[in-house]
Amino acid sequence: MSPWLSPETLRIFNSAVNYCLDTATGRSIFNTVVNNQKKISSVFAALADPTRRRIMERLSGHGERRVTALARPFRISLPAISRHLHVLERARLIQRRRQGRIHFIRTRSAGIKEAQKWLMRCALEWDSRFDAIDVLLAEGERKEKKR
Amino acid sequence: MKSDVKISGNQVQITRIFNAPRERVFAAWKTSDQVERWSGCKDSTKVEVQMDFRVGGTFTQKLHIRNVGEYTITGTYDEIVEPEKIVYHVNLGPATTQVAIQFIAQGNQTKVILTQVGFPDENLSRIVSEGTTESLDRLDQVLSGQVV
């Protein structure tokens, strides 16, 4: 049991609740979708790669790890690992701390939160579309009764 | 929220009972004039739908969104079993989201189960779900309780 987001669980929860409150008070869903499209896409793209997923797994439950230690089991060059880390960094899935020439990497939940919020938005959108289908179906029934 | 929502790992599953026979509910997804009536979101003022409703056929939905502008979604139908099931996928840049809709007859009512998979890769589900199940279980409580 070492979910790599567990220290962040409460923060994720809070942001999801804030999101729901925003929606409940009628703020635009689609504003957020359009503005965050690029961020979300970068998360999906970053995690679509098996090497980058393994990097995330190796970081899981470890706190900080040195780049060299992280790279050890992979049969690819250090510059190649470095490029993967850049992609993860841009997607806000990891963060880097420099101590002189040594780089330390740890997970960061910002990217995943973005993806989760996106899923939550999907659910809320479907719910409101289903409301509209309800209206449509009720109309059809009234028309049929008139005939 | 009137639908039952489950979020786990990379997927959203939404279940809803509609007060109409299955053929009628299925028909709401079948033609562009029907889809235009319900698709979009609270902030969209108009939805223009073009669709070729057959396996391998494509669709586009151009949403006009208040204070934002236009937003176009393009997808392809993967599976159509009338009046039981529709599966399609939508491209969102590097990610593809797949939507499967099941229509289950329950007397004069229809149960619709919609599953949307948000990530491009199966394996990702495990990684993400480790971190999300707990928080989303609590989110379920919030959604069914004071917030909505």
Side-chain angles (χ1 to χ4, degrees):
Chain A
M1 265 295 283
S2 63
W4 59 272
L5 285 175
S6 65
E8 303 289 338
T9 301
L10 196 60
R11 273 174 52 203
I12 294 167
F13 176 61
N14 283 339
S15 87
V17 169
N18 283 337
Y19 172 73
C20 292
L21 289 170
D22 285 350
T23 311
T25 54
R27 246 176 56 175
S28 166
I29 292 172
F30 257 89
N31 266 328
T32 331
V33 172
V34 173
N35 294 341
N36 286 342
Q37 195 77 44
K38 271 190 189 157
K39 281 189 213 160
I40 297 158
S41 296
S42 73
V43 176
F44 289 145
L47 291 171
D49 181 90
T51 304
R52 290 196 286 271
R53 276 203 306 276
R54 275 197 66 204
I55 292 175
M56 292 306 293
E57 280 170 6
R58 281 181 61 72
L59 282 168
S60 165
H62 272 88
E64 279 189 335
R65 295 195 91 167
R66 286 178 62 168
V67 171
T68 43
L70 202 56
R72 208 160 287 147
F74 296 102
R75 286 181 186 177
I76 51 176
S77 68
L78 213 52
I81 287 287
S82 178
R83 277 195 294 278
H84 282 305
L85 291 176
H86 276 298
V87 175
L88 291 169
E89 219 173 353
R90 272 205 306 277
R92 305 191 300 162
L93 289 164
I94 60 166
Q95 61 190 48
R96 189 189 297 258
R97 182 173 68 86
R98 293 177 178 83
Q99 199 175 70
R101 286 167 57 192
I102 305 169
H103 289 205
F104 294 92
I105 306 290
R106 66 185 308 139
T107 56
R108 189 182 172 201
S109 65
I112 280 294
K113 272 198 279 185
E114 213 65 67
Q116 286 182 317
K117 281 198 280 180
W118 183 78
L119 288 170
M120 199 55 231
R121 278 195 292 272
C122 291
L124 291 164
E125 279 168 32
W126 279 117
D127 187 60
S128 67
R129 282 176 207 147
F130 285 179
D131 287 344
I133 292 180
D134 264 341
V135 174
L136 186 63
L137 296 173
E139 260 176 38
E141 205 171 80
R142 276 198 302 276
K143 272 184 198 164
E144 270 166 34
K145 276 178 188 164
K146 273 183 193 169
R147 267 180 219 161
Chain B
M1 184 172 280
K2 280 195 235 158
S3 313
D4 177 43
V5 177
K6 277 184 200 151
I7 298 178
S8 64
N10 65 345
Q11 71 169 33
V12 186
Q13 192 175 71
I14 299 145
T15 306
R16 177 92 159 225
I17 310 275
F18 291 101
N19 276 318
R22 181 161 72 163
E23 279 72 14
R24 176 64 196 98
V25 179
F26 189 91
W29 304 75
K30 211 176 149 183
T31 55
S32 58
D33 62 316
Q34 287 282 301
V35 175
E36 279 174 355
R37 294 286 306 279
W38 59 264
S39 196
C41 63
K42 276 178 195 152
D43 292 301
S44 56
T45 50
K46 194 172 86 172
V47 185
E48 292 170 54
V49 177
Q50 287 186 316
M51 53 190 275
D52 180 11
F53 192 67
R54 59 189 169 91
V55 175
T58 59
F59 64 86
T60 58
Q61 295 196 3
K62 193 197 270 184
L63 309 177
H64 300 264
I65 300 148
R66 202 174 291 120
N67 304 326
V68 180
E70 287 177 6
Y71 184 80
T72 302
I73 299 163
T74 307
T76 308
Y77 294 105
D78 299 312
E79 200 183 338
I80 297 172
V81 184
E82 187 167 355
E84 290 165 24
K85 195 178 180 187
I86 301 169
V87 182
Y88 64 83
H89 67 267
V90 174
N91 296 321
L92 302 163
T96 298
T97 175
Q98 191 169 52
V99 177
I101 310 130
Q102 272 178 276
F103 302 81
I104 300 159
Q106 294 188 336
N108 264 341
Q109 295 186 316
T110 306
K111 184 199 253 186
V112 170
I113 303 172
L114 184 144
T115 310
Q116 178 161 9
V117 180
F119 288 95
D121 194 301
E122 269 302 296
N123 297 329
L124 187 63
S125 170
R126 186 176 50 81
I127 303 173
V128 178
S129 64
E130 283 174 3
T132 60
T133 315
E134 191 193 340
S135 59
L136 288 162
D137 282 347
R138 276 187 276 169
L139 186 60
D140 273 346
Q141 291 166 15
V142 174
L143 285 173
S144 57
Q146 69 270 33
V147 178
V148 179

